[in-house]
Amino acid sequence: MLLLPTLAHVTHATTGPASRAAASRVSRAPLMAEQLRAPDGSFGAELGVDDELSYGVRLPDEADDEADWLFFDRARIWVQAGDGGNGCVAFRREKDKPKMGPAGGNGGRGGSIHLVCDEGLNMLKQEVHFRATGGQNGMGKARHGESGGDVTVRVPPGTVVRQDEDDALVGEVLRHGDSMRVARGGRGGRGNAAFKTARDTTPRLAEQGEPGGQRWLKLELKLLADVGLVGVPNAGKSSLLAAATNAKPKIAPYAFTTVTPNLGVWRSAADTEASLVLADIPGLLEGAHEGKGLGRAFLRHIERCRLLLHVVDGTRPDPLGDFEAVNTELRLFSPRLANKPQVIVLNKLDVPAVAEAAPQLLERLAAAAGHKRVLAVSAASRANVPALMGRLRKLVASAPAEPPPSVLEPTVALDEVEEAAECNVVPVQPRVW
């Protein structure tokens, strides 16, 4: 893949401490763009190391925050449950009371590991290893060992869990408070007191504790939203999200301002219980399904949206071509994503040239989409934004919800073992039971 030039290549700055620090920070940033649209409307202009910054693309400067790039929606974690404690072989003896029988206690159960859904989180943690404590061994005087403590791993809603070795689906957590056990603690071994029978009143055997489950898991976050915003870079998706909700996404007049998904909640002024969750993802380039640009890495976040809000930039040389190019990328990435109902928005109505050409553009967009769910808005002046949100509310109520992965593919069970049944000691041969 092509990398963006460092700050020293672009500005030909001196090698002072500030310049070296800025260049080091920029060089660590992820790929901003690999293929850009040229001024003539055609795709194919690639940004090389010695090329100048053109077509509105800009590198982060010293005022940009590296935290804008920190969004963790994929994780690989190691979970290791605690081992069960061993049973104890002991006999009770007290003064003037000989031969009181076996008194070995059972070992404690090992701690388990659970994934718990927390609606206060919007991305996965960076922690990799999670280990629970083991159970305590059994003791004399019929004292059982203490069980190990469980470990709770908080994850955001929409987290899909898969096995690392075969990518098999384990499950998912969708609602706040949902819990999933991903590693079962080992059962504690029984002491000799549990093996006492009428035929064998002094058993001299005990069980060892079972080992706890351990495995590598893959976590994949799919944000849960009602409406997903898609479009080319710098089409005004973040501006529209800020105009419709209280979200504060980064907005600037250059491409790929949005490098991580943003969520916003719209609430109706007339009905306090009516609300919509909107998800804004980085802009899509032609060839995004092949990994170009930033959009493909975040397209899965809108797979569960009930409908898509397709934002078209009215100031572009070929708005209709942008619309068809984005729909092509959606279809190549996922047919189910391309079949979702769409609402087409022609943005930047505040520009006089766009306002003059809006009737013709809306007619052409409606013909290309095959429906009349098109509207011209201005995210900058908020013109027609309330009307747009009212229409989205009605459409979301009638649109079918995306089924969870567990409905689309089978799941696997982890550490599903039946509880211990009653043990009957039967002699097989001398000194063997």
Side-chain angles (χ1 to χ4, degrees):
M1 295 191 301
L2 294 176
L3 295 178
L4 282 175
T6 63
L7 195 63
H9 285 125
V10 177
T11 62
H12 306 288
T14 61
T15 57
S19 299
R20 287 197 300 268
S24 175
R25 182 174 69 252
V26 173
S27 63
R28 292 196 304 267
L31 182 64
M32 290 180 63
E34 289 182 320
Q35 186 175 7
L36 306 174
R37 181 185 284 272
D40 59 358
S42 62
F43 282 102
E46 295 183 349
L47 187 63
V49 174
D50 298 328
D51 294 338
E52 296 181 356
L53 293 179
S54 57
Y55 315 136
V57 177
R58 168 184 173 274
L59 285 175
D61 52 25
E62 295 184 9
D64 290 328
D65 189 359
E66 281 189 1
D68 292 341
W69 295 93
L70 299 180
F71 183 82
F72 300 94
D73 57 352
R74 288 180 181 268
R76 184 171 178 261
I77 63 173
W78 168 260
V79 292
Q80 181 175 350
D83 298 335
N86 299 326
C88 176
V89 177
F91 294 90
R92 187 79 176 269
R93 289 182 175 84
E94 295 181 6
K95 186 178 180 180
D96 299 331
K97 295 181 180 179
K99 298 181 179 179
M100 296 184 64
N106 302 333
R109 176 184 285 272
S112 301
I113 298 181
H114 301 264
L115 300 183
V116 178
C117 182
D118 186 354
E119 61 184 6
L121 300 178
N122 61 357
M123 67 179 181
L124 299 172
K125 294 184 177 181
Q126 302 181 53
E127 191 174 353
V128 177
H129 297 89
F130 300 92
R131 295 182 176 90
T133 56
Q136 187 180 15
N137 294 334
M139 296 166 284
K141 297 184 179 180
R143 292 175 295 174
H144 302 315
E146 184 180 3
S147 297
D150 293 343
V151 173
T152 299
V153 182
R154 297 186 304 130
V155 295
T159 301
V160 180
V161 185
R162 297 181 180 275
Q163 290 192 121
D164 184 62
E165 55 183 7
D166 55 2
D167 206 40
L169 177 66
V170 176
E172 58 189 327
V173 288
L174 300 176
R175 293 171 294 275
H176 180 71
D178 286 354
S179 178
M180 178 192 305
R181 189 180 68 185
V182 293
R184 185 182 67 90
R187 292 180 296 196
R190 289 173 290 184
N192 66 335
F195 294 95
K196 180 181 177 181
T197 63
R199 298 176 63 89
D200 185 5
T201 58
T202 58
R204 288 175 171 80
L205 74 157
E207 290 180 334
Q208 292 184 341
E210 291 182 349
Q214 55 185 15
R215 59 186 53 86
W216 283 99
L217 296 174
K218 291 194 299 187
L219 305 183
E220 179 180 299
L221 174 60
K222 293 186 178 181
L223 295 177
L224 300 179
D226 298 313
V227 181
L229 279 68
V230 297
V232 297
N234 208 27
K237 301 182 296 297
S238 298
S239 300
L240 185 57
L241 181 69
T245 69
N246 291 328
K248 304 297 181 184
K250 186 176 180 180
I251 301 174
Y254 55 85
F256 292 105
T257 308
T258 301
V259 294
T260 61
N262 295 311
L263 287 178
V265 180
W266 169 83
R267 300 187 185 280
S268 174
D271 187 359
T272 57
E273 296 183 357
S275 63
L276 291 176
V277 179
L278 284 72
D280 171 30
I281 67 169
L284 301 177
L285 292 173
E286 188 172 2
H289 69 283
E290 298 175 349
K292 294 183 178 180
L294 296 174
R296 186 184 189 279
F298 303 110
L299 275 174
R300 64 179 174 276
H301 292 297
I302 58 174
E303 284 185 334
R304 294 187 178 179
C305 297
R306 294 196 174 189
L307 59 89
L308 301 180
L309 183 61
H310 196 145
V311 182
V312 180
D313 186 355
T315 62
R316 300 278 291 185
D318 186 11
L320 184 61
D322 293 343
F323 170 76
E324 294 176 346
V326 171
N327 280 340
T328 300
E329 296 304 320
L330 294 177
R331 183 172 62 255
L332 294 176
F333 177 80
S334 172
R336 289 191 295 111
L337 190 59
N339 292 331
K340 287 182 177 294
Q342 287 191 14
V343 174
I344 305 169
V345 170
L346 180 64
N347 194 19
K348 304 184 181 181
L349 190 61
D350 54 300
V351 179
V354 178
E356 183 179 355
Q360 294 80 9
L361 288 175
L362 291 177
E363 184 177 353
R364 293 172 59 191
L365 289 172
H371 57 78
K372 297 183 179 180
R373 296 189 297 270
V374 293
L375 182 66
V377 302
S378 172
S381 63
R382 301 193 177 187
N384 291 341
V385 173
L388 170 65
M389 300 309 299
R391 295 185 184 183
L392 290 178
R393 175 192 170 188
K394 296 179 181 179
L395 290 173
V396 167
S398 59
E402 177 71 15
S406 57
V407 178
L408 303 176
E409 57 181 307
T411 59
V412 295
L414 301 178
D415 304 325
E416 293 297 333
V417 181
E418 297 181 358
E419 296 296 331
E422 182 180 356
C423 179
N424 297 320
V425 181
V426 180
V428 179
Q429 58 186 24
R431 303 187 63 84
V432 177
W433 292 269

